[in-house]
Amino acid sequence: MDTAQRPNLIIRQYHDLTDYQARFQEMKDWTEQRDADSPDQLWILQHPNVLTQGQAGKAEHILMATDIPVVQTDRGGQVTWHGPGQLVAYFMFDLNRLGWNVRTLVSYAENLMIELLKKYGIEAYAKADAPGVYVNERKIGSLGFKIRKGRSYHGLALNIDCDLTGFQSINPCGYAGLEMVRVMDLVNDYPHFENFCADIIETLQNSGYFNDVQVIHVYMAFFSIRNKIESLL
């Protein structure tokens, strides 16, 4: 792609847990409202405990009721879990402008996780018949997207040091008996969320797909305190 035609990219890195429903609605609204000149965006974050159901998700893949909230979404795929210790990255890309199709996006997200893990000595791979990233047949990275008018949202989830009990009440991604695994299970002195954020930012900066990459650091605790102060005024 010619340099003049490359889009700009804004990366948001969240330093605190951020509510799933709020971010889901925000990325959906932003995708609806963006225009041909809007920069692409990538958000890197962690959520509090939540189960998210895909647009065509089947209720039987939620095996038991728990105190974990369930949110119906419009992404592809079946039910999955998000929570602390799991890196989530949301891709709000104009696929037409990048010259990508859905398969290009899925492959890019899978290969991104594979390359990140390789840096720390973990040999991961993708499967043609089961989207995501695996290590010795155990799933370490999941993904699901929504494409609206050629523009994507939702994204990937990489298990770093999360509590895997969140997956025990479901068939992860609709696969009964699928075993999940984390980075911490595979590497001593393993990299943490902040390390992977830095790796993703560096990868996107050097990808050649974007003209200018701007990184915004978001601290939700600051907004919470500000909102409390404003409510008292």
Side-chain angles (χ1 to χ4, degrees), residues 20 42 58 62 68 77 156 172-173 185 205 208 218:
Y20 180 85
L42 180 83
K58 298 178 180 179
I62 300 177
I68 302 175
L156 65 81
C173 306
D185 300 320
Q205 288 173 330
V218 181

Side-chain angles (χ1 to χ4, degrees), residues 44-122:
I44 315 172
L45 48 86
Q46 300 175 83
H47 290 302
N49 282 318
V50 63
L51 296 175
T52 67
Q53 180 66 284
Q55 187 170 27
K58 298 178 180 179
E60 60 260 34
H61 291 307
I62 300 177
L63 305 178
M64 65 187 77
T66 69
D67 60 355
I68 302 175
V70 180
V71 177
Q72 180 66 48
T73 80
D74 59 356
R75 63 164 173 77
Q78 299 289 327
V79 66
T80 194
W81 171 87
H82 299 305
Q86 182 192 70
L87 181 150
V88 176
Y90 292 133
F91 293 71
M92 281 147 281
F93 287 3
D94 185 329
L95 301 186
N96 295 333
R97 187 168 59 186
L98 286 168
W100 291 11
N101 57 32
V102 177
R103 183 66 250 177
T104 313
L105 175 64
V106 169
S107 295
Y108 184 83
E110 289 175 333
N111 289 331
L112 174 62
M113 289 189 279
I114 290 168
E115 292 302 314
L116 292 174
L117 294 167
K118 183 184 290 186
K119 177 178 178 179
Y120 299 102
I122 299 172

Side-chain angles (χ1 to χ4, degrees), residues 9-222:
L9 176 67
I10 296 173
I11 299 178
R12 283 195 209 170
Q13 179 182 341
Y14 288 78
H15 292 268
D16 308 290
L17 298 180
T18 182
D19 178 67
Y20 180 85
Q21 184 71 59
R23 297 289 73 75
F24 168 38
Q25 191 63 52
E26 184 182 7
M27 64 181 164
K28 182 178 180 180
D29 291 346
W30 189 83
T31 301
E32 287 285 345
Q33 296 165 8
R34 65 178 300 177
D35 59 33
D37 297 320
S38 299
D40 288 339
Q41 295 201 27
L42 180 83
W43 301 348
I44 315 172
L45 48 86
Q46 300 175 83
H47 290 302
N49 282 318
V50 63
L51 296 175
T52 67
Q53 180 66 284
Q55 187 170 27
K58 298 178 180 179
E60 60 260 34
H61 291 307
I62 300 177
L63 305 178
M64 65 187 77
T66 69
D67 60 355
I68 302 175
V70 180
V71 177
Q72 180 66 48
T73 80
D74 59 356
R75 63 164 173 77
Q78 299 289 327
V79 66
T80 194
W81 171 87
H82 299 305
Q86 182 192 70
L87 181 150
V88 176
Y90 292 133
F91 293 71
M92 281 147 281
F93 287 3
D94 185 329
L95 301 186
N96 295 333
R97 187 168 59 186
L98 286 168
W100 291 11
N101 57 32
V102 177
R103 183 66 250 177
T104 313
L105 175 64
V106 169
S107 295
Y108 184 83
E110 289 175 333
N111 289 331
L112 174 62
M113 289 189 279
I114 290 168
E115 292 302 314
L116 292 174
L117 294 167
K118 183 184 290 186
K119 177 178 178 179
Y120 299 102
I122 299 172
E123 291 297 323
Y125 54 90
K127 292 183 176 184
D129 60 341
V133 172
Y134 300 81
V135 178
N136 295 325
E137 293 303 297
R138 297 184 292 174
K139 194 168 192 177
I140 194 168
S142 306
L143 52 85
F145 292 98
K146 173 72 174 180
I147 310 299
R148 175 77 172 157
K149 297 179 181 177
R151 292 150 180 172
S152 67
Y153 56 107
H154 295 289
L156 65 81
L158 180 66
N159 302 329
I160 302 174
D161 53 5
C162 49
D163 183 349
L164 292 179
T165 57
F167 290 104
Q168 294 177 359
S169 65
I170 62 174
N171 289 327
C173 306
Y175 293 93
L178 177 62
E179 186 176 355
M180 308 299 286
V181 69
R182 306 163 293 186
V183 173
M184 70 176 295
D185 300 320
L186 304 170
V187 182
N188 293 324
D189 192 24
Y190 63 91
H192 291 78
F193 173 78
E194 292 78 11
N195 303 112
F196 281 111
C197 288
D199 293 337
I200 292 172
I201 291 168
E202 181 181 9
T203 298
L204 269 296
Q205 288 173 330
N206 297 323
S207 68
Y209 290 116
F210 302 99
N211 185 32
D212 178 66
V213 178
Q214 178 186 3
V215 180
I216 299 173
H217 295 272
V218 181
Y219 297 87
M220 298 306 295
F222 167 79

